[in-house]
Amino acid sequence: MATLRLGDTAPDFTAVTSEGTLNFYDYLGDGWGILFSHPADFTPVCTTELGTAAKFKDEFDKRNVKMMALSVDGAESHKEWIKDINETQQTVVNFPIIADEDRKVSDLYDMIHPNANDTLTVRSVFIIGSDKKVKLILTYPASTGRNFYELLRVVDSLQLTANHKVATPANWKNGEKVVVSPAIPTEEAKQIFSRGVEEVKPYLRLTPDPTA
């Protein structure tokens, strides 16, 4: 299996999960998705991450994004782990966790990095668009927990730039000024973006967030 790259079609699969057997594409429907892997059940950092993901579900729902987690342990193990997550993180896990005991999905998404660990998945994150294309790939080492505020920020940027001829600058947050696409001449940009175009440099033009 070749390494997945941005713009590739996200591989479809059917897998046993903590919520029964699910097909990935059917689960996502016409929405967006976040698939994120965990080294193993009953690991401390992952416990905090899954609890945090559950607390963020409403925000992802607003953006039409469904989450699906993965661990190489079995479904029964997942069920016991979910009890711990709910207890320690004061939440209720509200998305499926894949039981990837045969490493099928891990291999499809290149989640096992032998130089880090031969058998355990690294912390991978894939954001998948409604067109089933891979929009973002992040890989964290086992020692570093993920930032779900950043995942929300990235989704906001991806969804905005998919529908408007703009890009988002460093540290951008929803509602802040955006960058006009370099492919658009300034005069044309002024017609497209009626709220104004600020030309910092000929190649760096800013305009208010068109959705704000």
Side-chain angles (χ1 to χ4, degrees):
M1 173 68 194
T3 301
L4 273 181
R5 300 186 187 280
L6 298 184
D8 288 351
T9 298
D12 192 18
F13 57 84
T14 298
V16 174
T17 80
S18 56
E19 297 183 5
T21 300
L22 294 174
N23 174 266
F24 190 47
Y25 277 18
D26 289 347
Y27 174 71
L28 295 183
D30 60 1
W32 289 58
I34 293 181
L35 175 64
F36 59 120
S37 60
H38 298 269
D41 292 359
F42 302 102
T43 49
V45 176
C46 296
T47 299
T48 66
E49 288 181 322
L50 287 170
T52 301
K55 293 172 185 176
F56 272 67
K57 185 173 183 293
D58 287 348
E59 288 299 322
F60 286 116
D61 284 348
K62 289 177 193 173
R63 294 156 172 84
N64 197 22
V65 178
K66 286 186 174 178
M67 292 183 290
M68 185 178 276
L70 176 148
S71 167
V72 295
D73 291 311
E76 289 306 311
S77 174
H78 287 357
K79 287 175 185 174
E80 292 304 310
W81 185 29
I82 286 169
K83 292 176 187 175
D84 280 7
I85 297 164
N86 293 344
E87 175 194 343
T88 63
Q89 306 305 304
Q90 291 85 51
T91 189
V92 176
V93 172
N94 42 25
F95 51 86
I97 307 172
I98 298 165
D100 195 35
E101 291 182 282
D102 60 4
R103 315 289 196 270
K104 176 182 150 192
V105 180
S106 300
D107 287 339
L108 272 179
Y109 281 82
D110 195 29
M111 291 171 170
I112 293 175
H113 292 197
N115 288 333
N117 190 301
D118 280 340
T119 57
L120 301 182
T121 52
V122 289
R123 279 197 176 78
S124 298
V125 183
F126 297 87
I127 296 182
I128 296 153
S130 55
D131 58 0
K132 303 298 184 290
K133 302 289 188 186
V134 176
K135 306 297 184 183
L136 175 128
I137 301 170
L138 286 171
T139 303
Y140 291 76
S143 55
T144 302
R146 283 167 275 217
N147 184 328
F148 284 82
Y149 291 105
E150 170 64 2
L151 295 183
L152 275 182
R153 191 189 78 88
V154 168
V155 168
D156 285 339
S157 172
L158 289 168
Q159 293 186 341
L160 173 66
T161 58
N163 295 309
H164 298 274
K165 294 177 179 179
V166 296
T168 56
N171 293 340
W172 175 86
K173 292 178 186 169
N174 205 359
E176 295 179 350
K177 286 183 179 179
V178 294
V179 173
V180 175
S181 170
I184 303 173
T186 297
E187 289 309 310
E188 183 182 338
K190 289 176 180 175
Q191 295 173 3
I192 295 172
F193 302 106
S194 57
R195 293 163 66 193
V197 174
E198 173 191 348
E199 187 175 282
V200 182
K201 291 284 184 183
Y203 61 86
L204 175 56
R205 289 85 45 86
L206 301 175
T207 190
D209 180 340
T211 64

